[in-house]
Amino acid sequence: MSTAESARRSAGSAPTSEPNPSPSSVPLRRWLALVAVAVGTFAMVTAEQLPMGLLTPIGGSLDVSEGTAGLLVTVPGLVASATAPLLPVLIRRADRRTVLIALLGLMAAANVLSVLTSDFGELLVSRFLIGISIGGFWALAAGIAVSMVPTAHVGRATALVFGGATAANVLGVPAGTLIGEFSSWRTAFAAVGGLGLLVVVALFLLLPSLPARAPVRLSTLAAQFRNPAVRTGVLTTFLLVGGHFAAFTFVSPALREISGISQSMVGPLLLVFGVAGILGNFLAGAVVGRDVRRVVMMIGCSLALILALFPLVGTSPAGGIVLLIGWGLAFGGVPVSVQTWILQSAPREAEAATALNTSVFNLAVALGALFGGLAVDAAGLDVALWGAAVVGLLTTITVWRTRGTAA
């Protein structure tokens, strides 16, 4: 059985409202449905990470410290890490189309609540709801990609769906920050909620019924821990992503307080970071298939060096901008690298391994933001950046020492 076919069978769902496409073609309607799912992943990941570029105005508006405001990233990340593996088990045979639409609707409603609240506790509640929607949506999106098209097109369809997340990782925060700069942080939350509503309409019109063939079980997820290569890949994801977000959650105050860059320039600079991240994604994607271990170690070393130098060399606007661009190039290669590691490690259980890695990814976002916030409040931005640099170095050491179990 081919890897793509195995992924198709493990997806657990198949469209039934339309005839199956021939092996050589896919109806335009299905490609448009996949584009809608990709935009949905973009909206979800953007919603999760949106506060990162808006911590200063949010903290000022609700009278909390920037470290405390970092909980707006920690809470949805923790909830999403639990929801990703559990929701497919809980919904059992429910139509995946209905569940996806409901999760996007929940995300949009939670963002509306974020706009209307004047209390930090209420804002955390809305972020809790967003965490549920993020984890559930991610858990189902990958399976939908492989069930909508013939085997020959599975790779392209999966890349399309995950492309929405990649774009959000490097462009979602900058775009939200720009909107916040031109208007307010509430407008940025409203914009993401509005995008979610548009995707709800698109999925309602384009996505066919997707009933589950069989209920998903936790045993398959648990079995992935017995695969040494998967364990190493998951640990690598946790370290790279956790270290990055321990620092990046506070990139806005770092640019202002360390590099002396005005708040009005943070949004445009984060957009530059996003462009650099896209370039880093393509650069890593071009070589990761040949030696994923080497690429991951290079990324870990690069992040460690850049974050360690930021409090020392990034003390001027020029230094801060150069390091920010290098930061974007390095982290842009992380999603494609860790996902390639997982797919090479468990080709016949790609969905289960990916679900596990997605859960750890979100957990790393949450814990990275949490410990970064604790470091910022207790010791300052410099310590948070240096701590993140140590984690990047630890990633490289971990991968180097586990060469026998690497993908």
Side-chain angles (χ1 to χ4, degrees):
M1 182 187 301
S2 67
T3 300
E5 183 62 27
S6 175
R8 173 187 293 282
R9 293 190 181 185
S10 67
S13 60
T16 60
S17 63
E18 300 177 10
N20 289 331
S22 68
S24 60
S25 65
V26 179
L28 177 61
R29 183 184 180 89
R30 291 203 177 180
W31 283 120
L32 292 176
L34 289 170
V35 169
V37 175
V39 177
T41 62
F42 175 88
M44 286 291 186
V45 177
T46 299
E48 180 181 18
Q49 300 179 11
L50 185 62
M52 292 179 187
L54 301 169
L55 291 183
T56 299
I58 291 175
S61 174
L62 300 180
D63 195 26
V64 297
S65 70
E66 290 172 342
T68 300
L71 290 173
L72 298 175
V73 181
T74 298
V75 168
L78 286 174
V79 175
S81 70
T83 307
L86 292 180
L87 186 130
V89 178
L90 295 176
I91 63 175
R92 298 181 65 81
R93 297 182 182 275
D95 190 326
R96 272 47 180 164
R97 173 181 182 269
T98 302
V99 177
L100 278 181
I101 291 174
L103 290 170
L104 274 164
L106 177 62
M107 183 274 283
N111 274 288
V112 171
L113 176 61
S114 298
V115 173
L116 298 177
T117 185
S118 58
D119 177 77
F120 186 73
E122 293 176 356
L123 187 55
L124 283 179
V125 171
S126 72
R127 301 298 293 169
F128 182 93
L129 297 176
I130 285 175
I132 294 175
S133 63
I134 292 167
F137 194 92
W138 265 108
L140 302 179
I144 286 175
V146 302
S147 66
M148 288 275 289
V149 298
T151 302
H153 297 276
V154 164
R156 186 183 305 173
T158 303
L160 177 60
V161 170
F162 280 93
T166 301
N169 276 316
V170 297
L171 290 178
V173 174
T177 304
L178 280 174
I179 293 174
E181 292 295 338
F182 285 119
S183 182
S184 72
W185 66 267
R186 297 180 189 275
T187 303
F189 279 85
V192 176
L195 178 61
L197 289 177
L198 290 176
V199 178
V200 165
V201 174
L203 291 181
F204 182 80
L205 296 175
L206 297 170
L207 198 64
S209 177
L210 297 163
R213 288 180 176 174
V216 179
R217 303 184 186 279
L218 287 175
S219 58
T220 306
L221 291 172
Q224 297 308 308
F225 283 108
R226 294 194 291 270
N227 183 332
V230 172
R231 286 202 306 269
T232 301
V234 168
L235 177 59
T236 298
T237 297
F238 181 80
L239 292 173
L240 282 176
V241 175
H244 165 75
F245 281 103
F248 190 69
T249 301
F250 305 96
V251 65
S252 177
L255 289 173
R256 290 185 297 101
E257 297 175 22
I258 296 176
S259 302
I261 293 172
S262 67
Q263 181 64 34
S264 63
M265 286 300 298
V266 170
L269 286 178
L270 289 182
L271 188 60
V272 173
F273 174 93
V275 173
I278 292 176
L279 179 58
N281 176 71
F282 283 112
L283 290 175
V287 298
V288 73
R290 294 195 291 270
D291 192 342
V292 65
R293 286 184 69 256
R294 181 172 297 180
V295 173
V296 170
M297 286 191 293
M298 288 180 62
I299 290 173
C301 284
S302 298
L303 287 174
L305 181 62
I306 290 166
L307 295 174
L309 288 176
F310 208 103
L312 305 174
V313 181
T315 52
S316 67
I321 292 171
V322 170
L323 289 173
L324 184 70
I325 293 172
W327 190 352
L329 283 169
F331 186 74
V334 169
V336 66
S337 298
V338 297
Q339 184 61 25
T340 299
W341 185 300
I342 293 298
L343 292 176
Q344 290 182 1
S345 302
R348 295 188 179 277
E349 297 291 348
E351 186 187 25
T354 297
L356 179 63
N357 201 51
T358 299
S359 177
V360 171
F361 193 109
N362 282 284
L363 180 63
V365 172
L367 294 182
L370 174 62
F371 286 106
L374 292 175
V376 168
D377 281 349
L381 286 166
D382 291 2
V383 172
L385 289 166
W386 284 329
V390 171
V391 176
L393 183 60
L394 183 60
T395 304
T396 301
I397 295 172
T398 300
V399 174
W400 178 74
R401 294 187 63 183
T402 56
R403 67 182 68 186
T405 60

